[in-house]
Amino acid sequence: MKVIVVGCGRVGSTLAGLLATEGHDVRVIDLRPKAARRLPGSPRIRFHEGNGYSRAVLQNAGIEHADAFVAVTSGDNSNIVSARTAKETYRVPIVLARIYDPRRADIYRELGIPTIASVRWTVHQIHQMLLHRHLSPELSFGNGETLLIRSEVPAYLIGRRLTEFDVDGEIRVVEVTRAGRSLIPAHSISAQAGDLVTFAVAATALGRLRGFLDKELGT
């Protein structure tokens, strides 16, 4: 992908380095020329000085050919303006933005821009890890309302159909890894010993999923 990252603080520079090591081309924009020192030496990363919502700067960074745009400056207003410019003016396919004030999430939602709300997300993740320490999310969506959880099937559930684990609107089995091979479970497939199951689960239903997985036979 060709990715533009606006903001070269710890998040932006780390993200740029990660994307570059994966083979993506990254353009990083920041008002402060000294911020470029944070970036790793990589031919796949180029630094552009200026505002992330300046059309001249964005065009110089190649936004017209960008596959993704990420706004992670320290200012919510700057992130909103630059993300909106990328989405509405340049029609970048993937636009993400960081926010510090979760109350602004509704603004982004109305614009169709997914957000990463630092405080809200971090608190949510810590809370879930404290309550469900053995159910570590593989991936989360939105602001953490929906999670992907992987767990080995407990012995008492072996032989039961995987669809029995589904709870409408709360829990659904979306994948099974069996003997090293991944498959999408058919309606009739039953759990086998050693199965590693991926659940899509609402964060509010983690307790219910834990109940399924922790329950002892006969209790």
Side-chain angles (χ1 to χ4, degrees), residues 31-51:
L31 274 172
R32 306 156 299 162
K34 291 183 179 179
R37 298 175 184 174
R38 292 180 177 269
L39 296 170
S42 170
R44 292 191 174 276
I45 302 176
R46 292 185 184 178
F47 181 83
H48 298 266
E49 180 185 349
N51 278 312

Side-chain angles (χ1 to χ4, degrees), residues 5 7-18 28 35 38-40 45 72:
V5 177
C8 194
R10 284 179 295 178
V11 173
S13 58
T14 302
L15 177 62
L18 177 61
V28 180
R38 292 180 177 269
L39 296 170
I45 302 176
V72 287

Side-chain angles (χ1 to χ4, degrees), residues 135 149 165 171 199 201 205-214:
L135 295 181
I149 301 288
F165 306 162
I171 302 170
F199 299 90
V201 56
L206 274 176
R208 190 165 192 168
L209 177 61
R210 182 175 63 175
F212 283 153
L213 300 176
D214 284 355

Side-chain angles (χ1 to χ4, degrees), residues 65-80:
H65 304 289
D67 299 299
F69 182 96
V70 184
V72 287
T73 75
S74 59
D76 281 356
N77 290 334
S78 296
N79 289 339
I80 288 174

Side-chain angles (χ1 to χ4, degrees), residues 80-81 83-84 87-88 105-114:
I80 288 174
V81 176
R84 186 170 185 175
K87 184 175 182 64
E88 297 181 355
D106 288 341
I107 298 175
Y108 287 93
R109 190 173 295 113
E110 290 173 2
L111 297 173
I113 299 172

